[in-house]
Amino acid sequence: MTVDPALISRLEEKAVDIRKKIIDLTVIAGSGHLGGALSMVEILVALYYHTLKVDPSQPKWPERDRFILSKGHGALALYPILADRGFYPEELMSNFNGLDSPFGMHPDMNKIPGVEMSTGSLGHGLSVAVGCALTARLDCASWRTFCLLGDGELNEGTVWEAAMSASKYKLGNLVALVDRNGFSLDGPTEEIMPLEPLKEKWIAFGWDTVEIDGNNMAEVLNALESLPEASGERPQCIIARTVKGKGVSFMENQSEWHYGCVDEQKAEEVKAELELARKGRGC
Amino acid sequence: MQAFTFNVLDVDRFATREMYGKVLVEIGRENPDIVVLSADMMRSNKTGDFAKAIPERFFNFGIAEQNMFGVAAGFAINGKIPYASTFAAFASMRCAEQLRTDIAYPNLKVRIVASHSGLSMGNGGTTHHATEDIAITRSMANMTVIVPADANECAKAVYASVDYPGPIYMRIGRGAEPIVYKQDYDFAIGKAVTVREGNDVTVIACGIMVMAAIKAARKLAEEGIETRVIDMHTIKPLDEEAVLKAARETGILITAEEHSIIGGLGGAVAEVLAEAGLPVKFSRIGLPDVYSTIGPPDDLYARYGLDAEGIYKKVKEMLGKK
């Protein structure tokens, strides 16, 4: 499948914008899950600016695709995207992490339009996504459910309980995306709790599985465009190999940037580096 | 009874879980949004009736309870009304985080119907006894906690649960529990039922302890002691008015539950009494702060005073203090 080069280019631009917004939000918040938010930007941008059928003017539109952010600590990347798509004004995030703010480290479905499920405790989202996909099947509806998981999150046994059930119920309308950035909080996943061979695990659980470069917009879009019809009988898994802290040289692949602080001065340097990357692409 | 048709007014004992299975089918036929979830327990908790009657809305997740409750949350955010069932020990402890974080925190309309509660698993032993579940679930904000006194009340509670907002934890037993309600009565979630009038002492009970309290009250009546028996089927929100009225009118309150004395019905009533500052004598009947031993349920109830005899003795003891 060939993805329109203009689309790729437009969404690559968007990914730079979103990374800069993540940095701005971190300044407001004082700190945040930078590493895991930066690694998943291409995945979320491809979903929210191309793949997902959603209507920001009606967040509860019944025919929308459902997106469950199982790695709830990735909220830092989701919030600016939902604002940019028009689910709420950006100013609403000005008190991010503050007292009574709708926006905390982990997303709350009852406080933020466009958030389908309150997440943050790991290993819960895929079960919820299975419930969504089963609902669509029961209602003979054509919408899909997408669920983004962290790779460290796959240590949780419930993920595999959910994976088994998706396979049992032939949920071809369910897509799991794994942000395979290679790190959990304490260090590299293969040291802390090895996951490999990861693709084989998902295949063994009955999922059609592909591995892609998850920071390459063309590959992400291609994987999403290549999904079979939702009426199919096999759940779909996309393992997106990414770089933790992607785009910020001193954060990339550094465990200490799983969660970190950025002050206003540092933020300007980081955003300048992100802009350079944009120019570096020759746009 | 209410709109449902199945009840057991003419027998002395009936398994609450049998009733649950039958009522599920009735509400499922009336309401297409109802889905039923089981975790390899459809024979044990009788959700198999629904599986047979409405197979397309029945889901069996195998021995994976946490996933089942997560899926229930996924159904609920999309407008379905899931009834998800497993043993009370697993629902309340293994799945405590799913109940709290996936269901209660987002305030989802999931019905957690937990069977084989209390000591009803008898010689199954401590791993299968559920003596902490009321304490655990009632500490979760948004959660409604219901402990029906018998099969007929279970039917009314399940029926009432269909349109009730927010999450519900309902605790039912395993055996052929004695029937308390042999005629129709008004049931509302959060509203206690006074099943016997009396002004000398009050026993506030839930679950199988309601029948035990009635039997104790009959024996006490022979001695001229009039015991008020309150069926506190809803532990949360607690009918505080019924508690305070009984405290004012009888002066002695005893709670009785098939649960740890810590944090359950006794704890809930104690909280209300302590804050009201009424001059009342108060005692809790329940499993003491120990792990239950192995044995047939009736022997266990006798061991821990969770029967009519235990309530009778406690009432006499409290009257002696008057």
Side-chain angles (χ1 to χ4, degrees):
Chain A
M1 182 151 317
T2 319
V3 181
D4 175 9
L7 173 68
I8 297 168
S9 182
R10 182 168 67 82
L11 295 195
E12 282 174 343
E13 289 285 320
K14 187 57 83 176
V16 174
D17 295 341
I18 295 301
R19 282 199 167 88
K20 289 170 69 181
K21 285 173 191 284
I22 288 172
I23 301 301
D24 286 337
L25 263 184
T26 309
V27 173
I28 295 174
S31 59
H33 289 99
L34 279 162
L38 290 168
S39 64
M40 62 192 249
V41 171
E42 280 77 11
I43 300 167
L44 277 197
V45 166
L47 284 171
Y48 273 96
Y49 294 88
H50 182 66
T51 304
L52 290 180
K53 285 184 293 164
V54 289
D55 179 356
S57 69
Q58 324 170 59
K60 295 286 179 190
W61 174 45
E63 295 307 312
R64 73 195 182 279
D65 288 330
R66 270 59 164 181
F67 173 73
I68 306 292
L69 182 65
S70 193
K71 53 170 291 188
H73 60 287
L76 201 51
L78 180 65
Y79 294 160
I81 288 175
L82 291 178
D84 189 52
R85 282 296 326 267
F87 282 91
Y88 43 80
E90 208 160 299
E91 302 81 71
L92 219 59
M93 298 185 292
S94 59
N95 188 32
F96 181 49
N97 271 3
L99 181 64
D100 286 335
S101 170
F103 300 88
M105 242 185 267
H106 305 106
D108 185 324
M109 62 176 274
N110 288 321
K111 293 179 182 160
I112 306 173
V115 170
E116 295 285 354
M117 181 65 188
S118 304
T119 51
S121 177
L122 298 175
H124 292 241
L126 193 58
S127 298
V128 175
V130 168
C132 293
L134 282 170
T135 301
R137 286 288 203 240
L138 262 185
D139 293 349
C140 301
S142 61
W143 49 268
R144 287 184 197 262
T145 302
F146 295 80
C147 179
L148 178 58
L149 300 113
D151 53 356
E153 177 177 11
L154 305 183
N155 295 169
E156 296 280 7
T158 45
V159 171
W160 303 101
E161 292 182 9
M164 269 190 278
S165 63
S167 186
K168 169 184 171 174
Y169 286 108
K170 303 185 185 340
L171 298 178
N173 57 353
L174 175 61
V175 183
L177 300 117
V178 177
D179 179 9
R180 182 72 172 114
N181 63 33
F183 288 85
S184 54
L185 204 160
D186 277 353
T189 59
E190 299 316 286
E191 280 177 30
I192 304 301
M193 185 51 67
L195 293 167
E196 296 298 339
L198 186 57
K199 184 179 178 187
E200 287 79 353
K201 281 190 175 72
W202 285 95
I203 290 170
F205 276 74
W207 291 60
D208 284 348
T209 307
V210 296
E211 264 185 300
I212 59 163
D213 177 344
N215 291 131
N216 180 313
M217 190 60 82
E219 287 198 29
V220 175
L221 284 168
N222 183 58
L224 291 169
E225 290 288 283
S226 305
L227 288 170
E229 292 294 315
S231 55
E233 296 205 333
R234 288 172 66 83
Q236 304 292 310
C237 177
I238 299 170
I239 299 173
R241 286 189 309 272
T242 61
V243 172
K244 197 157 183 175
K246 176 70 180 176
V248 184
S249 50
F250 64 89
M251 293 183 192
E252 287 191 358
N253 292 321
Q254 300 300 314
S255 275
E256 51 269 37
W257 282 99
H258 172 88
Y259 185 88
C261 308
V262 176
D263 61 19
E264 272 180 62
Q265 192 193 335
K266 197 78 188 165
E268 290 311 313
E269 291 170 36
V270 167
K271 287 194 284 182
E273 184 187 352
L274 290 167
E275 271 304 323
L276 275 180
R278 190 197 314 260
K279 294 195 180 86
R281 288 197 311 105
C283 305
Chain B
M1 310 291 275
Q2 287 166 3
F4 63 91
T5 54
F6 189 86
N7 59 59
V8 284
L9 302 177
D10 53 349
V11 298
D12 288 332
R13 285 181 171 267
F14 195 83
T16 310
R17 60 197 167 117
E18 297 268 0
M19 179 62 93
Y20 171 53
K22 291 185 188 308
V23 176
L24 269 185
V25 174
E26 291 205 12
I27 60 173
R29 284 193 174 126
E30 277 177 27
N31 188 328
D33 286 332
I34 287 171
V35 293
V36 173
L37 286 61
S38 184
D40 201 42
M41 290 281 180
M42 68 175 176
R43 287 178 220 283
S44 305
N45 57 30
K46 306 304 174 190
T47 51
D49 292 0
F50 191 98
K52 206 174 286 174
I54 313 176
E56 66 278 13
R57 282 189 270 138
F58 174 80
F59 303 91
N60 197 333
F61 292 95
I63 309 165
E65 298 83 5
Q66 297 169 86
N67 181 48
M68 173 178 73
F69 287 115
V71 174
F75 272 123
I77 61 174
N78 290 293
K80 301 295 176 196
I81 309 172
Y83 285 74
S85 289
T86 182
F87 286 4
F90 313 140
S92 66
M93 294 187 284
R94 183 184 204 100
C95 306
E97 201 194 16
Q98 277 76 19
L99 266 51
R100 183 266 194 187
T101 299
D102 297 347
I103 295 170
Y105 158 48
N107 203 15
L108 300 179
K109 213 172 149 178
V110 175
R111 281 74 188 92
I112 303 131
V113 183
S115 65
H116 298 66
S117 60
L119 305 175
S120 64
M121 275 296 280
N123 47 22
T126 304
T127 59
H128 283 59
H129 294 167
T131 52
E132 302 86 358
D133 57 329
I134 298 174
I136 293 167
T137 53
R138 88 175 177 94
S139 68
M140 297 175 182
N142 294 334
M143 189 72 88
T144 292
V145 180
I146 301 176
V147 187
D150 72 359
N152 286 323
E153 191 160 79
C154 172
K156 283 184 176 270
V158 172
Y159 205 84
S161 71
V162 177
D163 295 322
Y164 198 78
I168 297 175
Y169 178 83
M170 194 180 305
R171 178 191 216 241
I172 62 178
R174 177 205 192 193
E177 291 86 2
I179 293 297
V180 173
Y181 295 103
K182 293 200 169 183
Q183 50 195 339
D184 196 15
Y185 68 107
D186 289 331
F187 175 90
I189 292 171
K191 186 85 188 122
V193 183
T194 302
V195 291
R196 190 183 168 100
E197 294 291 351
N199 283 325
D200 295 327
V201 55
T202 300
V203 178
I204 301 177
C206 64
I208 59 164
M209 296 304 286
V210 174
M211 195 49 165
I214 291 169
K215 285 181 179 166
R218 285 180 193 146
K219 190 173 170 187
L220 289 159
E222 290 168 11
E223 301 173 25
I225 300 162
E226 290 306 327
T227 308
R228 181 177 304 185
V229 177
I230 293 176
D231 168 16
M232 192 63 80
H233 51 72
T234 306
I235 314 296
K236 185 185 177 185
L238 192 77
D239 187 345
E240 299 188 6
E241 204 183 303
V243 173
L244 295 174
K245 186 166 180 282
R248 286 193 199 95
E249 292 175 1
T250 70
I252 304 177
L253 257 62
I254 297 165
T255 56
E257 63 195 305
E258 189 193 0
H259 183 275
S260 166
I261 55 163
I262 296 175
L265 171 65
V269 170
E271 288 159 14
V272 172
L273 290 177
E275 292 201 336
L278 293 174
V280 61
K281 293 192 168 57
F282 174 68
S283 185
R284 297 163 299 160
I285 295 174
L287 182 72
D289 188 21
V290 297
Y291 287 104
S292 45
T293 189
I294 292 166
D298 285 343
D299 292 346
L300 294 178
Y301 299 143
R303 166 70 58 85
Y304 298 112
L306 305 175
D307 58 4
E309 187 62 19
I311 294 172
Y312 172 83
K313 282 184 183 159
K314 180 63 82 177
V315 169
K316 296 286 277 189
E317 179 194 321
M318 296 297 284
L319 283 167
K321 289 183 185 170
K322 199 169 187 177

